Amino acid sequence: MGNSFGKLFKITTFGESHGKALGVTIEGCPAGLAIDEDFIQQEMQRRKPGQSKITTQRREEDEIEILSGVFEGKSTGTPIGIVIRNADQKSKDYSHISDKFRPSHADYTYFEKYGIRDYRGGGRSSARETAARVAAGAIAKMLLKAKGISVQAYVSQVGDLTLEKNYQELDLNQTENNIVRCPDPKIAEEMITLIDSVRKDRDTIGGVISCVIQNAPPGLGEPVFDRLHAELGKAMLSINAVKGFEYGSGFEGVKMRGSQHNDSFVKEGDRVRTTTNHSGGIQGGISNGEDIYFRVAFKPVATIMQDQESVNESGENVTVSGKGRHDPCVVPRAVPIVEAMAALVIADYLLLAKSDKIQDI
Amino acid sequence: MGNSFGKLFKITTFGESHGKALGVTIEGCPAGLAIDEDFIQQEMQRRKPGQSKITTQRREEDEIEILSGVFEGKSTGTPIGIVIRNADQKSKDYSHISDKFRPSHADYTYFEKYGIRDYRGGGRSSARETAARVAAGAIAKMLLKAKGISVQAYVSQVGDLTLEKNYQELDLNQTENNIVRCPDPKIAEEMITLIDSVRKDRDTIGGVISCVIQNAPPGLGEPVFDRLHAELGKAMLSINAVKGFEYGSGFEGVKMRGSQHNDSFVKEGDRVRTTTNHSGGIQGGISNGEDIYFRVAFKPVATIMQDQESVNESGENVTVSGKGRHDPCVVPRAVPIVEAMAALVIADYLLLAKSDKIQDI
Amino acid sequence: MGNSFGKLFKITTFGESHGKALGVTIEGCPAGLAIDEDFIQQEMQRRKPGQSKITTQRREEDEIEILSGVFEGKSTGTPIGIVIRNADQKSKDYSHISDKFRPSHADYTYFEKYGIRDYRGGGRSSARETAARVAAGAIAKMLLKAKGISVQAYVSQVGDLTLEKNYQELDLNQTENNIVRCPDPKIAEEMITLIDSVRKDRDTIGGVISCVIQNAPPGLGEPVFDRLHAELGKAMLSINAVKGFEYGSGFEGVKMRGSQHNDSFVKEGDRVRTTTNHSGGIQGGISNGEDIYFRVAFKPVATIMQDQESVNESGENVTVSGKGRHDPCVVPRAVPIVEAMAALVIADYLLLAKSDKIQDI
Amino acid sequence: MGNSFGKLFKITTFGESHGKALGVTIEGCPAGLAIDEDFIQQEMQRRKPGQSKITTQRREEDEIEILSGVFEGKSTGTPIGIVIRNADQKSKDYSHISDKFRPSHADYTYFEKYGIRDYRGGGRSSARETAARVAAGAIAKMLLKAKGISVQAYVSQVGDLTLEKNYQELDLNQTENNIVRCPDPKIAEEMITLIDSVRKDRDTIGGVISCVIQNAPPGLGEPVFDRLHAELGKAMLSINAVKGFEYGSGFEGVKMRGSQHNDSFVKEGDRVRTTTNHSGGIQGGISNGEDIYFRVAFKPVATIMQDQESVNESGENVTVSGKGRHDPCVVPRAVPIVEAMAALVIADYLLLAKSDKIQDI
């Protein structure tokens, strides 16, 4: 249980950080979609380690291999199997922690749950698993692109350094122009400086990623439990290190009065629009055609380059020493992961909406 | 799609606000659990309208009727069917808005999705649907109680009035002692005054509910997509009016360094414990035996007693007038709903954990 | 687990034979379908007890009540909740077997599985549960009818009395003209005589139901595990007393050579057709547009009006005496159940097929 | 949809006959199970082509590679990813049929469903996909073996050559001693002769596989839709070329009276047993501790070495010529597939049964 996501456009992943490979099976991709392998690989590059001075220096090429489901450049409707070999598979690196529980990692909880654990770099609990999600998300993005829908995420906070501008005030095409993936060049520079200083302190820091989905049609969402934002929230909360999710007005909206918060409807040409968008493009769990936007909170990475007190499997007090190559801040590399998961949700709900009305059957 | 929640302990709901009845089918409740109907009814009373001056004055007795799955006072392992008749079924009240889209309600999105809508009081999109969840949650709570696990929610913010104390500094048994369900009597009083003044303004206001789960065993959670907090988050985001979810350190944790945020492990008697609990009792998506806690943001109720500009199904400009009996603030009545959904998640994950290890099979 | 059937057009049932009521929640019925309550009730009459001298004389009106999901005569896209009250709820009838395991009933297996059982008339294991399926199937049938698809079942064997004619040689509109539901009046008469003589022997007998689905479009089916015939097979095997399922050439096809069995393709007007139909309308698990046909084997009813040796919950030898009012042969009343389950499968697969091709999204 | 099977012990497969590889992800295998790779490979050998003169002479080594989920020889509770590379990937072989619909293959139905098809050897519809099932089934078998449960299938009919003996009269350990996998050496010889003569006629023939599951505990099965035999039936019907399924008395049981068919309960030592087993070890959809047995009908393989009339994608009349290397009869190689699917069902239901009773939670 727990390795699949989605209902019709559905992915199933496998793989540990230091096993032979990661993999993902993508079911439900409609037949006839042109599959651009280069695009998938580009998305992988955005997530891969070693891409800049503020990410882990671990080396993984993260080359994808499509094993099925694509024929003569197009999806065939059958499941698309993709594997990503783990190149940097140095399990010896981890012998020093093989029986120790690293603080705020999943070592202890996996051990309690399964009675056994693959101690090499976190095993299944490692964020390395998200590589498979990015590959699958790239295919979802192609589907959305074919329907004119875009998904764009960016870093909006690092520590207490906050990008105060709204997404509408930003040029999201600038996100990829700097290594921290913040579309405001000035704030980006400050974020990079902050992350770099934290790294030099042998410490880590948290951040926030904002995401905007544009041109999604009205009518996406499955009430009552599978509301569109509930599924987006679950998708985000399933990403490593995520501690919170809010959409539209979010936690700030709590302070507003209904008379301020309500989004008035108006007719704009053929379309019904809203004059404001505190709803974040979703009302009653269903998209209303406005921009869908949300924010995702990431905690500071648990692996720090410092000694920490802990216990081992026998319950003895031990010291866990920081070793290896790790990210001082996870958000720059998490931007494509957020986009991938969002794209998977929207693709899935697009398919689900095909059978809403009797006239469509 | 979308009317079921859970995997093994699973509920399926039906019903509209002004239809004949609401209902829920509860699958997977282990056989032999003593079912206390009075307790279920008590939980219903906590959610029902008309319970105090700061809730809607609509009248619904919300009497449950168990139709199956219980024999001689015990669950039999077969699905428990429950119906709740809608007593206050005045559909004429709604003729004035039958073709109008109320701002920030689901009128427009349901109409776009389904091409047809039950305009009587929101139909399926009404929070009335949560009555069925509370009934099901009461059964989940009985299961948890039998295992020593408690789930307690309370109001921690109304508008910008915030209860600054941590749950550990509060006596959660006082939550039910006031009509706003805030365990701090002084802040409760202020909250009640605020809500009452908002009500007199014919307006509404948002709030935050905090929730604590105690004595859950370590090992609950299904990585990677069905992490315990991802499922809790989805459960909460599926409740009407919810705009955000955070657990443990949440959005505030973003600002911390890893060296501050990490929870050190120590041995305490037989148990492995953590000295702090920024993780909110969940690491790598699996419970670690510490208290699980989270916060849920609710927007101001969309129905206000004021005139608002909108459009109708024909796209014409119309005025929507506030009528009827509505909550000025949703959080007091949402406390049992949050508890119900949390209990359902924990009950489900308890069952899922029974097959984790080969020695348990 | 196990009380739901279907993926998009999905039903969830609850209810025991001697509880207060049976119920079903139907999800995924597309919005805007005209719902004819009279038709549902007619289908219920076809299944209800006491309808003729060769069925049980138990009395149940099996009146349905729609609680949700229908507004102004049309489906709204929200779940349709239906309850059927149990009128004939004489639990005292069953005290004589409260701790005895009736041979070839589910008494022993439910007791082993759940450690507790509702001994009143089989509880959840009673075929009474199928009333809820017939109600749901009636809605699926309306959907299929709107698409020009028909589902027709009939009794083709009782004991060793076999209707040798193929469905093409029969007038299926005559099925309802006799109480055994065999479209050949002469064989029907013989079957009725046979069942009646078995009944007088205080015994029971098995039978076979054949079913034909016409005008289903090509392209329905979800390879590889959810092949159309695999889902039909599961649907049928989930009906009480069913022991076998075969489609197309079935078990007889085993004896054929490939050169005899293969169905040649030809062009007929605009359509690709096959000259024979040993495939039963399904190739590779996907419908090919030809008639879908299959056969379902039902064992003799386990309740006989004779004394039988058995054991009780304490493992003591006991005699189980036949009492009450039971069917001497289940197939006449099972015809609408077979149709209901077949209609549910086809409706579900119709919806699933809406997202097969990129051009449809 | 359709590429996953199982609820807790769940598999998801991908792969086409002439793509790069097949694969399977196995979720829910309890942690701590010793994984014997050699055993998995042995099971693969039983299914692989080219193993005898009565199977296709195609060559595939079907070497499995485990990519995840196993650490230091044991399952870790995380998904087990397995790939099987396609060695014999000669796509040019298939150019002669690239736009033709082979009779009784899935060429036409895939084309109708998806509007595109991988014409190389059937693509996803090829029985090659079952290699992934056998690999997964081998892991399920290890789990069952650890619990003392055995699953044994054998060929009981080829064409009209029928093994009349019951499984109890046979030594099932002899099944692997001949190339047709029939435990009666004399009948096996006749079957081999028959298949060989069919092969020389450039034709194919059908067969039946019987299967017995021993030592399954009572209490497995999930009423009402997921009855144990319904899931077994679906599992079998999802195998290529299967046309029918029956368990226990099956279609023959139809002819019996209830007084003959009912299985009397008796106490035998500590256990409740039945004196006969027409129920096939399953009552009310739940195992009763007796042997579970069933029969599966396979049609003659559609590919014959003869010219056949058909149409192509443009609707033109064409001749399809038999070419390549194919099985004259599928049943000898299908024995391990039947066992694999049966083992997967039983393993899954074993896990599901862990949460049946409150005392087990």
Side-chain angles (χ1 to χ4, degrees):
Chain A
M1 195 63 77
N3 302 289
S4 290
F5 187 82
K7 296 164 217 301
L8 291 181
F9 197 106
K10 188 172 108 182
I11 67 170
T12 303
T13 72
F14 65 80
E16 285 86 40
S17 58
H18 288 65
K20 283 195 180 172
L22 304 167
V24 60
T25 305
I26 302 146
E27 286 183 85
C29 182
L33 180 70
I35 301 296
D36 179 349
E37 282 200 45
D38 290 344
F39 175 70
I40 306 174
Q41 201 58 57
Q42 282 162 33
E43 291 291 286
M44 300 303 291
Q45 307 314 100
R46 294 174 69 207
R47 197 212 70 99
K48 82 168 184 179
Q51 63 182 261
S52 79
K53 66 174 180 177
I54 58 169
T55 68
T56 170
Q57 296 308 303
R58 225 177 329 117
R59 300 276 308 192
E60 284 287 356
E61 284 315 311
D62 284 347
E63 215 168 298
I64 62 140
E65 185 184 17
I66 298 180
L67 299 179
S68 68
V70 179
F71 183 57
E72 297 178 342
K74 287 189 173 169
S75 62
T76 61
T78 63
I80 301 171
I82 297 178
V83 291
I84 303 150
R85 294 272 161 182
N86 287 328
D88 191 22
Q89 212 182 319
K90 300 187 195 158
S91 46
K92 296 222 181 67
D93 280 353
Y94 291 90
S95 58
H96 63 295
I97 51 141
S98 66
D99 73 340
K100 295 177 184 173
F101 300 133
R102 291 169 299 160
S104 288
H105 273 277
D107 298 346
Y108 171 66
T109 54
Y110 268 69
F111 186 70
E112 277 292 320
K113 183 175 184 67
Y114 298 115
I116 180 178
R117 68 188 172 96
D118 180 349
Y119 50 75
R120 299 166 303 167
R124 181 74 176 151
S125 76
S126 163
R128 177 136 188 77
E129 179 265 338
T130 58
R133 303 184 185 200
V134 169
I139 290 175
K141 274 189 171 180
M142 286 179 220
L143 173 60
L144 298 189
K145 200 179 171 193
K147 303 295 297 175
I149 303 166
S150 68
V151 178
Q152 290 172 287
Y154 59 93
V155 171
S156 56
Q157 187 176 340
V158 172
D160 46 19
L161 243 173
T162 305
L163 173 61
E164 301 291 354
K165 286 180 193 152
N166 196 304
Y167 74 89
Q168 288 122 322
E169 305 165 273
L170 297 164
D171 176 4
L172 299 187
N173 295 320
Q174 291 204 41
T175 301
E176 293 299 308
N177 291 352
N178 58 66
I179 58 178
V180 78
R181 293 199 168 86
C182 170
D184 182 312
K186 193 172 153 300
I187 306 285
E189 212 49 59
E190 294 175 43
M191 287 172 171
I192 293 165
T193 304
L194 173 57
I195 295 173
D196 210 39
S197 96
V198 166
R199 183 182 64 78
K200 284 175 187 149
D201 291 347
R202 308 177 71 80
D203 213 334
T204 59
I205 196 161
V208 172
I209 291 176
S210 295
C211 185
V212 192
I213 300 161
Q214 294 181 301
N215 279 322
L220 307 187
E222 299 295 318
V224 291
F225 295 108
D226 297 343
R227 283 166 153 93
L228 182 55
H229 58 268
E231 198 74 3
L232 283 169
K234 178 173 173 177
M236 297 307 139
L237 288 157
S238 79
I239 300 172
N240 302 55
V242 171
K243 303 297 294 256
F245 169 85
E246 59 179 6
Y247 81 103
S249 59
F251 277 90
E252 278 303 303
V254 163
K255 301 177 188 164
M256 295 170 81
R257 303 283 169 113
S259 54
Q260 301 169 288
H261 192 276
N262 283 355
D263 298 319
S264 295
F265 287 112
V266 287
K267 188 89 181 194
E268 195 179 292
D270 279 351
R271 284 179 58 189
V272 170
R273 303 291 307 266
T274 60
T275 51
T276 51
N277 187 15
H278 297 114
S279 300
I282 303 173
Q283 292 175 326
I286 302 172
S287 64
N288 66 359
E290 303 298 319
D291 294 344
I292 296 164
Y293 64 95
F294 57 83
R295 296 172 76 242
V296 189
F298 290 79
K299 69 167 187 174
V301 176
T303 304
I304 56 176
M305 295 300 101
Q306 305 178 15
D307 283 359
Q308 297 178 89
E309 298 311 302
S310 189
V311 298
N312 65 14
E313 292 180 8
S314 315
E316 299 157 341
N317 294 330
V318 294
T319 299
V320 174
S321 304
K323 271 181 69 173
R325 298 150 295 169
H326 295 278
D327 289 280
C329 180
V330 82
V331 287
R333 288 178 57 208
V335 165
I337 305 169
V338 165
E339 288 179 4
M341 292 307 297
L344 286 163
V345 171
I346 301 297
D348 193 26
Y349 278 67
L350 258 181
L351 304 195
L352 285 166
K354 300 316 291 182
S355 58
D356 283 339
K357 299 172 191 159
I358 188 70
Q359 55 265 39
D360 294 339
I361 306 306
Chain B
M1 195 63 76
N3 302 290
S4 291
F5 187 80
K7 298 165 215 300
L8 290 181
F9 197 105
K10 189 172 106 182
I11 67 170
T12 303
T13 72
F14 65 80
E16 284 86 41
S17 57
H18 287 66
K20 284 194 179 172
L22 303 167
V24 60
T25 305
I26 302 145
E27 286 183 84
C29 181
L33 181 69
I35 302 295
D36 179 350
E37 282 200 47
D38 290 343
F39 176 70
I40 306 175
Q41 200 59 57
Q42 282 162 34
E43 290 291 285
M44 299 304 291
Q45 307 314 99
R46 295 174 69 208
R47 196 212 70 97
K48 83 167 182 179
Q51 63 182 261
S52 79
K53 66 173 180 178
I54 58 168
T55 68
T56 170
Q57 295 308 303
R58 226 179 326 120
R59 301 274 310 189
E60 285 286 355
E61 283 316 310
D62 285 347
E63 214 167 300
I64 62 142
E65 186 184 16
I66 299 181
L67 299 179
S68 68
V70 180
F71 183 58
E72 297 178 343
K74 287 189 173 169
S75 63
T76 60
T78 64
I80 301 171
I82 297 177
V83 290
I84 304 150
R85 295 270 161 183
N86 286 327
D88 191 22
Q89 214 180 316
K90 301 186 195 159
S91 47
K92 294 221 183 68
D93 279 353
Y94 290 90
S95 58
H96 63 295
I97 51 142
S98 66
D99 72 339
K100 296 178 184 172
F101 300 133
R102 290 170 300 160
S104 287
H105 273 278
D107 298 346
Y108 171 66
T109 54
Y110 268 69
F111 186 70
E112 277 291 320
K113 184 175 183 67
Y114 298 115
I116 181 179
R117 70 190 171 94
D118 181 348
Y119 51 75
R120 300 166 304 167
R124 181 73 176 153
S125 76
S126 162
R128 178 135 188 76
E129 178 266 336
T130 58
R133 304 185 184 199
V134 169
I139 290 176
K141 274 188 170 181
M142 289 179 218
L143 174 60
L144 297 189
K145 200 179 172 191
K147 303 295 298 176
I149 303 167
S150 69
V151 178
Q152 289 171 289
Y154 59 92
V155 171
S156 56
Q157 187 175 338
V158 172
D160 46 18
L161 246 174
T162 305
L163 173 62
E164 300 290 354
K165 288 180 192 153
N166 196 306
Y167 75 90
Q168 290 124 321
E169 305 165 272
L170 297 163
D171 176 4
L172 299 187
N173 295 322
Q174 293 203 40
T175 300
E176 294 299 307
N177 291 352
N178 57 66
I179 58 177
V180 77
R181 294 200 165 85
C182 171
D184 182 311
K186 193 171 154 301
I187 306 286
E189 213 48 59
E190 295 175 44
M191 287 173 171
I192 293 165
T193 305
L194 174 57
I195 295 173
D196 211 38
S197 96
V198 166
R199 184 182 63 77
K200 285 173 186 151
D201 293 348
R202 308 178 71 79
D203 213 336
T204 60
I205 197 162
V208 172
I209 291 176
S210 295
C211 186
V212 193
I213 301 160
Q214 293 181 301
N215 278 323
L220 307 187
E222 297 296 319
V224 291
F225 295 107
D226 298 343
R227 283 165 153 93
L228 182 54
H229 57 268
E231 198 73 2
L232 283 169
K234 178 173 174 177
M236 298 307 141
L237 288 157
S238 79
I239 300 172
N240 302 54
V242 171
K243 303 296 295 254
F245 169 86
E246 59 179 6
Y247 80 104
S249 59
F251 276 90
E252 278 304 302
V254 163
K255 301 177 187 163
M256 295 170 80
R257 302 284 169 114
S259 54
Q260 301 169 286
H261 192 275
N262 283 355
D263 297 319
S264 294
F265 286 111
V266 287
K267 189 90 182 191
E268 194 181 292
D270 277 352
R271 282 179 59 188
V272 170
R273 302 292 307 264
T274 60
T275 51
T276 51
N277 187 16
H278 298 114
S279 299
I282 303 173
Q283 292 173 325
I286 302 171
S287 65
N288 66 0
E290 303 299 320
D291 294 344
I292 296 166
Y293 64 95
F294 56 84
R295 296 172 77 242
V296 188
F298 290 78
K299 69 167 187 174
V301 176
T303 302
I304 56 177
M305 295 300 101
Q306 305 177 14
D307 283 358
Q308 298 178 87
E309 299 310 302
S310 189
V311 297
N312 65 14
E313 292 181 8
S314 315
E316 298 157 341
N317 293 331
V318 293
T319 299
V320 174
S321 304
K323 273 180 70 175
R325 298 149 296 171
H326 296 278
D327 290 280
C329 180
V330 82
V331 289
R333 289 177 57 209
V335 165
I337 307 169
V338 164
E339 287 179 7
M341 292 306 300
L344 287 164
V345 171
I346 301 297
D348 193 28
Y349 279 67
L350 258 181
L351 304 195
L352 285 167
K354 301 317 290 181
S355 58
D356 283 339
K357 299 171 191 161
I358 188 70
Q359 56 265 39
D360 294 338
I361 307 305
Chain C
M1 194 64 76
N3 301 290
S4 290
F5 186 81
K7 297 165 216 299
L8 291 181
F9 197 106
K10 189 172 106 182
I11 66 170
T12 302
T13 73
F14 65 79
E16 284 88 40
S17 58
H18 288 64
K20 285 195 180 171
L22 303 168
V24 59
T25 305
I26 301 146
E27 286 183 84
C29 182
L33 181 69
I35 301 295
D36 179 351
E37 282 200 47
D38 290 342
F39 176 71
I40 306 175
Q41 200 59 55
Q42 282 162 34
E43 290 292 286
M44 299 303 291
Q45 308 312 101
R46 297 174 69 207
R47 197 212 71 98
K48 82 167 182 177
Q51 63 183 260
S52 80
K53 66 174 181 178
I54 57 168
T55 67
T56 171
Q57 295 308 303
R58 226 178 327 118
R59 299 277 309 192
E60 285 286 356
E61 284 314 311
D62 285 348
E63 214 168 299
I64 61 140
E65 185 184 17
I66 299 181
L67 299 178
S68 67
V70 180
F71 183 58
E72 297 178 342
K74 287 189 173 170
S75 63
T76 60
T78 63
I80 301 171
I82 296 177
V83 291
I84 304 151
R85 295 271 160 183
N86 286 327
D88 192 22
Q89 215 181 315
K90 302 187 193 157
S91 47
K92 295 222 181 66
D93 279 353
Y94 291 90
S95 59
H96 63 296
I97 50 143
S98 66
D99 73 339
K100 296 177 184 173
F101 300 133
R102 290 170 300 161
S104 288
H105 272 279
D107 298 346
Y108 170 67
T109 53
Y110 268 69
F111 186 70
E112 277 292 319
K113 184 175 183 67
Y114 298 116
I116 180 178
R117 70 188 171 95
D118 180 349
Y119 50 76
R120 300 166 303 167
R124 181 74 176 151
S125 76
S126 163
R128 178 137 188 75
E129 177 266 336
T130 59
R133 302 185 186 200
V134 170
I139 290 176
K141 274 188 171 182
M142 287 180 221
L143 174 60
L144 297 189
K145 199 178 172 194
K147 304 295 299 177
I149 303 167
S150 69
V151 178
Q152 291 172 287
Y154 59 94
V155 171
S156 56
Q157 187 176 339
V158 172
D160 47 18
L161 245 174
T162 305
L163 173 61
E164 300 290 355
K165 287 179 192 151
N166 195 306
Y167 73 89
Q168 289 123 323
E169 305 165 273
L170 296 164
D171 176 3
L172 299 187
N173 295 321
Q174 292 204 41
T175 301
E176 294 299 309
N177 291 350
N178 58 66
I179 58 177
V180 77
R181 294 200 167 85
C182 170
D184 182 312
K186 195 172 153 300
I187 307 285
E189 214 49 59
E190 295 175 43
M191 287 172 171
I192 293 165
T193 305
L194 174 56
I195 295 173
D196 210 38
S197 98
V198 166
R199 184 181 64 78
K200 285 173 186 149
D201 292 348
R202 307 178 71 78
D203 214 334
T204 59
I205 196 162
V208 172
I209 291 176
S210 295
C211 185
V212 193
I213 301 160
Q214 293 182 300
N215 278 323
L220 307 186
E222 299 294 319
V224 294
F225 294 107
D226 297 344
R227 283 165 153 93
L228 182 54
H229 57 268
E231 198 75 2
L232 283 168
K234 177 173 174 177
M236 298 306 140
L237 289 156
S238 79
I239 300 172
N240 302 55
V242 171
K243 303 296 294 253
F245 169 86
E246 59 179 7
Y247 80 104
S249 60
F251 277 89
E252 277 304 302
V254 163
K255 301 176 186 164
M256 296 170 81
R257 302 285 169 113
S259 54
Q260 301 169 288
H261 193 274
N262 283 355
D263 298 319
S264 294
F265 287 111
V266 287
K267 188 90 181 193
E268 196 180 292
D270 278 351
R271 282 180 58 189
V272 170
R273 303 291 307 266
T274 62
T275 52
T276 51
N277 186 16
H278 297 114
S279 300
I282 303 173
Q283 292 174 325
I286 302 172
S287 64
N288 66 0
E290 302 299 320
D291 293 345
I292 297 165
Y293 64 96
F294 56 84
R295 296 172 76 242
V296 188
F298 290 78
K299 69 167 188 175
V301 176
T303 303
I304 57 177
M305 295 300 100
Q306 305 177 16
D307 284 358
Q308 298 179 88
E309 300 310 302
S310 190
V311 298
N312 65 14
E313 292 181 8
S314 315
E316 298 158 341
N317 293 330
V318 294
T319 299
V320 174
S321 303
K323 271 180 70 174
R325 298 149 295 170
H326 295 278
D327 290 280
C329 181
V330 81
V331 287
R333 288 178 57 210
V335 165
I337 306 170
V338 164
E339 288 179 5
M341 292 306 298
L344 287 164
V345 171
I346 301 297
D348 193 27
Y349 278 68
L350 258 180
L351 304 195
L352 285 167
K354 302 316 291 181
S355 58
D356 283 340
K357 298 172 192 160
I358 187 70
Q359 55 265 40
D360 295 338
I361 306 307
Chain D
M1 194 62 78
N3 301 291
S4 290
F5 187 81
K7 296 164 216 301
L8 290 180
F9 197 105
K10 188 172 107 184
I11 67 170
T12 303
T13 73
F14 65 80
E16 285 87 40
S17 58
H18 287 66
K20 283 194 179 173
L22 303 166
V24 60
T25 304
I26 301 145
E27 285 184 84
C29 182
L33 180 69
I35 301 295
D36 178 350
E37 281 199 47
D38 289 344
F39 175 70
I40 306 175
Q41 200 59 57
Q42 282 162 34
E43 290 291 286
M44 299 304 290
Q45 309 313 101
R46 294 174 70 208
R47 197 211 70 99
K48 84 167 183 179
Q51 63 182 259
S52 80
K53 66 173 179 177
I54 58 167
T55 69
T56 170
Q57 296 308 303
R58 225 177 331 117
R59 301 275 308 190
E60 285 286 355
E61 284 315 311
D62 285 347
E63 214 168 300
I64 61 141
E65 185 184 18
I66 298 181
L67 299 179
S68 68
V70 180
F71 183 57
E72 297 178 345
K74 287 189 173 170
S75 63
T76 60
T78 63
I80 300 172
I82 297 178
V83 291
I84 305 151
R85 295 271 162 183
N86 286 327
D88 192 21
Q89 211 181 320
K90 299 187 195 160
S91 46
K92 294 220 181 69
D93 278 354
Y94 291 89
S95 58
H96 64 296
I97 50 140
S98 66
D99 72 340
K100 295 177 185 174
F101 300 133
R102 290 169 300 161
S104 288
H105 273 277
D107 298 346
Y108 171 66
T109 53
Y110 269 69
F111 186 69
E112 278 292 319
K113 184 175 183 67
Y114 297 115
I116 181 178
R117 69 189 172 96
D118 180 347
Y119 51 76
R120 299 166 304 168
R124 181 74 176 151
S125 76
S126 164
R128 178 137 189 75
E129 178 266 336
T130 58
R133 303 184 186 200
V134 170
I139 290 176
K141 275 188 170 181
M142 288 179 218
L143 173 60
L144 298 189
K145 201 179 171 191
K147 303 294 297 174
I149 303 166
S150 69
V151 177
Q152 290 173 288
Y154 58 93
V155 172
S156 56
Q157 186 176 338
V158 172
D160 46 17
L161 245 175
T162 305
L163 174 61
E164 301 290 353
K165 286 179 193 154
N166 196 306
Y167 75 90
Q168 288 122 321
E169 305 166 272
L170 296 164
D171 177 3
L172 299 186
N173 296 320
Q174 290 203 42
T175 301
E176 293 298 310
N177 290 351
N178 57 66
I179 57 177
V180 78
R181 292 198 168 86
C182 171
D184 182 310
K186 194 171 153 301
I187 306 286
E189 212 49 59
E190 294 175 44
M191 286 173 171
I192 292 165
T193 304
L194 174 56
I195 295 173
D196 211 37
S197 97
V198 166
R199 184 183 62 79
K200 284 174 187 150
D201 292 347
R202 308 180 71 79
D203 214 335
T204 59
I205 197 161
V208 172
I209 291 176
S210 295
C211 185
V212 194
I213 300 160
Q214 293 181 301
N215 279 323
L220 307 187
E222 298 295 319
V224 291
F225 295 107
D226 297 343
R227 283 167 152 92
L228 182 54
H229 57 268
E231 197 74 2
L232 283 168
K234 178 173 174 176
M236 297 308 140
L237 288 157
S238 78
I239 300 172
N240 302 55
V242 171
K243 303 296 294 253
F245 169 87
E246 58 179 7
Y247 81 103
S249 59
F251 277 89
E252 277 303 303
V254 164
K255 302 176 187 163
M256 295 170 81
R257 301 285 168 113
S259 55
Q260 301 169 287
H261 192 274
N262 282 354
D263 297 319
S264 294
F265 287 111
V266 287
K267 188 90 181 192
E268 196 180 290
D270 279 351
R271 281 180 59 188
V272 170
R273 303 290 308 263
T274 62
T275 52
T276 51
N277 188 15
H278 297 115
S279 300
I282 303 173
Q283 292 173 327
I286 303 172
S287 64
N288 65 0
E290 302 299 319
D291 294 344
I292 296 164
Y293 64 95
F294 57 84
R295 296 173 75 241
V296 188
F298 291 78
K299 70 167 187 174
V301 176
T303 303
I304 56 176
M305 296 299 101
Q306 304 176 15
D307 284 357
Q308 296 179 90
E309 298 311 302
S310 189
V311 298
N312 64 14
E313 292 180 8
S314 316
E316 298 158 340
N317 293 329
V318 293
T319 300
V320 173
S321 304
K323 272 179 70 173
R325 298 148 297 169
H326 295 278
D327 290 279
C329 181
V330 81
V331 287
R333 289 177 57 208
V335 165
I337 306 169
V338 165
E339 288 179 6
M341 291 307 299
L344 287 164
V345 171
I346 302 297
D348 193 27
Y349 278 67
L350 258 181
L351 305 195
L352 285 166
K354 300 317 291 181
S355 57
D356 284 338
K357 299 171 192 160
I358 188 71
Q359 55 265 40
D360 294 339
I361 308 306

